[in-house]
């Protein structure tokens, strides 16, 4: 049996291909997505950070949270002597680790960082859900100003605008401050206590360990119980409330649309104040395009002695591709060479190799057939390559110092001196 990619992972090939019923775009499309993302990040003055794919297990356990599905069930771990590492399930905790490890605060001001790269979660693979998937995201570290939250949300909006994506919805909520949390937790527990029977095993556990997560239950019976449950909104303190009002005013001022959703939560303790999610109708059950929020408690959760306010988001590239496909956005195709060399005869083949290097040095993309193929086979290969022109070289042409340049679209042909090929094909005249 030949080897195959591991379940929930995929190859990116030069052409788009389908695997497990899902279309995986070709390399050119991935590069285009990454280029568009980097372009928007640059305009927001976010700087790229690249952290290792392997991280210490404790960083992930503390940084993502021991009560999350990610840490409880979905980590890919790697044992090496006595250490256990994790293939990063997300990039926020690693970026915070890097910020603290390298004292990035000493660069002055808030740090505007972004990343693009693979993440790993042992989830059940399905459409839009993989075990190795790709995220881009921002982390704005060192500012508690509501403008930082607005900046990150404006950046998120700008990325999806740059892709021409219109049917998206930004859901927004505030979780209040850490100090607001215990009273809400107690109220929730009190509300659900008489209904414990109606709760799923998971929800009963969450009520103990992480009651906020009950708010995003998908179970219809539990959702019914939520209708008259205490509302998070009523427990948000004055500071967090003022922060949220300023953020909304900033978004309104920029014309960034959002929908307030009091049930939107991020289950982790270090999330404070702002939370948001970008949804697309195209995704349905596959959930969100991107999610983010403020995590003023993360730095201390991963070992900082002092609090470091921060806000950011993470977006899935596979989900973006699904949404782009749904909106009928055409993806870039593989690049074609400028020139395909067709060489007939030993001397022409040898000379052709040198000509290819000369043309490449002049900036042209040059391909040719390998393996001494017939003229007909080489012309077929030239057509298949979709090169703009074929340069035909036989031993006779070589003796005369000329090559035939054939326009593959129009099937017109002209003789060009070999030493003029680079100038002729790059469109630069020799006087220039
Ligand atoms: P999260 O860190 O869970 O908030 O995820 C942020 C974004 O990453 C999600 O909104 C998705 O777009 C994407 N994402 C998360 N998990 C997966 C996965 N298993 N496969 C594909 N994309 C994912």
């Amino acid at each position: 049996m030949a080897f195959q990619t591991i379940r929930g992972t995929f190859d990116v090939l030069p052409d788009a291909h389908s695997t497990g019923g899902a279309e995986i775009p070709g390399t050119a499309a991935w590069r285009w997505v990454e280029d568009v993302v980097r372009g928007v990040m640059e305009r927001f003055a976010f700087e790229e950070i690249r952290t290792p794919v392997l991280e210490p297990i404790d960083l992930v356990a503390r940084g993502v949270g021991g009560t999350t599905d990610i840490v409880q069930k979905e980590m890919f771990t790697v044992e090496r002597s006595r250490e256990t590492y994790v293939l990063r399930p997300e990039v926020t905790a690693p970026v915070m680790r890097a910020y603290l490890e390298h004292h990035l605060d000493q660069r002055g001001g808030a740090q505007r960082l972004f990343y693009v790269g693979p993440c790993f979660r042992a989830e059940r693979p399905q459409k839009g859900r993989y075990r190795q998937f790709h995220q881009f995201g921002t982390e704005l570290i060192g500012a508690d100003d509501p403008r930082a939250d607005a900046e990150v949300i404006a950046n998120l909006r700008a990325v999806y605008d740059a892709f021409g994506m219109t049917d998206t919805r930004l859901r927004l909520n505030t979780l209040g401050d850490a100090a607001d949390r215990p009273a809400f937790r107690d109220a929730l527990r009190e509300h659900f206590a008489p209904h414990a029977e109606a709760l799923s095993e998971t929800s009963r556990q969450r009520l103990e360990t992480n009651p906020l997560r009950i708010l995003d239950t998908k179970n219809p019976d539990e959702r019914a119980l939520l209708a008259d449950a205490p509302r998070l909104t009523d427990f948000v303190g004055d500071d967090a409330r003022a922060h949220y009002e300023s953020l909304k005013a900033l978004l309104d001022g920029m014309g960034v649309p959002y929908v307030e959703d009091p049930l939107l939560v991020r289950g982790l303790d270090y999330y404070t104040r702002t939370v948001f999610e970008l949804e697309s109708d195209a995704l349905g059950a596959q959930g969100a395009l991107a999610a983010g929020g403020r995590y003023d408690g993360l730095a201390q959760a991963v070992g900082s002695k002092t609090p470091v306010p921060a806000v950011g988001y993470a977006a899935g590239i596979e989900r973006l591709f699904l949404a782009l496909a749904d909106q009928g956005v055409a993806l870039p195709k593989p690049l074609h060479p400028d020139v395909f060399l067709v060489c007939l005869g030993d001397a022409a083949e040898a000379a052709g190799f040198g000509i290819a290097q000369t043309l490449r040095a002049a900036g042209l993309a040059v391909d040719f057939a390998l393996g001494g193929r017939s003229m007909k086979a080489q012309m077929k290969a030239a057509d298949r390559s979709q090169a703009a022109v074929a340069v035909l070289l036989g031993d006779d042409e070589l003796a005369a110092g000329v090559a035939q340049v054939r326009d593959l679209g129009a099937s017109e042909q002209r003789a060009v001196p070999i030493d003029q090929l680079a100038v002729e094909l790059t469109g630069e005249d020799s006087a220039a």
Side-chain angles (χ1 to χ4, degrees), residues 121 123 128-130 133 135 266 288-291 314 316 319:
R121 295 182 195 174
E123 297 191 80
R129 195 175 292 283
Y130 296 91
F133 58 99
Q135 286 190 339
R266 305 285 274 165
L289 283 170
R319 305 271 172 93

Side-chain angles (χ1 to χ4, degrees), residues 400-403 405 414-422 424:
V402 294
V405 172
R414 63 189 194 280
V416 175
I418 289 173
D419 59 7
Q420 290 296 304
L421 276 172
E424 183 85 14

Side-chain angles (χ1 to χ4, degrees), residues 335-343 348-370 378 381-382 385-393 403 405 408 418 421-426:
L335 291 179
H336 308 304
D338 302 307
V339 178
F340 197 98
L341 274 178
V342 174
C343 304
E349 268 183 15
F353 204 71
I355 292 171
Q357 313 314 331
T358 307
L359 297 182
R360 287 168 179 162
L364 294 163
V366 182
D367 191 5
F368 56 83
L370 292 164
Q378 290 189 54
S385 80
Q386 300 188 44
V389 299
V391 170
L392 282 54
L393 198 66
V405 172
L408 286 172
I418 289 173
L421 276 172
V423 168
E424 183 85 14
L425 294 173
T426 52

Side-chain angles (χ1 to χ4, degrees), residues 70 89-90 121 123 128-135 160 266 271 277-278 283 286-292 314-320:
I70 293 181
E90 54 94 61
R121 295 182 195 174
E123 297 191 80
R129 195 175 292 283
Y130 296 91
R131 292 187 156 186
Q132 174 173 345
F133 58 99
H134 300 80
Q135 286 190 339
Y160 288 84
R266 305 285 274 165
Y271 273 99
E277 245 177 56
L278 190 72
L283 295 181
Q286 275 69 244
L289 283 170
I317 297 182
E318 290 78 4
R319 305 271 172 93
L320 170 63

Side-chain angles (χ1 to χ4, degrees), residues 93-152:
V95 169
M96 185 55 85
R97 176 199 49 67
Y99 176 92
L100 297 169
E101 180 175 342
H102 303 287
H103 306 286
L104 294 185
D105 57 316
Q106 289 174 6
R107 300 176 81 216
Q111 298 301 303
R112 300 160 167 264
L113 303 170
F114 82 92
Y115 58 82
V116 184
C119 295
F120 306 82
R121 295 182 195 174
E123 297 191 80
R124 198 166 61 79
Q126 52 186 294
K127 195 175 171 203
R129 195 175 292 283
Y130 296 91
R131 292 187 156 186
Q132 174 173 345
F133 58 99
H134 300 80
Q135 286 190 339
F136 61 87
T138 60
E139 313 292 351
L140 211 174
I141 307 181
D144 58 11
D145 189 328
R147 282 188 303 163
D149 309 53
E151 185 79 335
V152 160

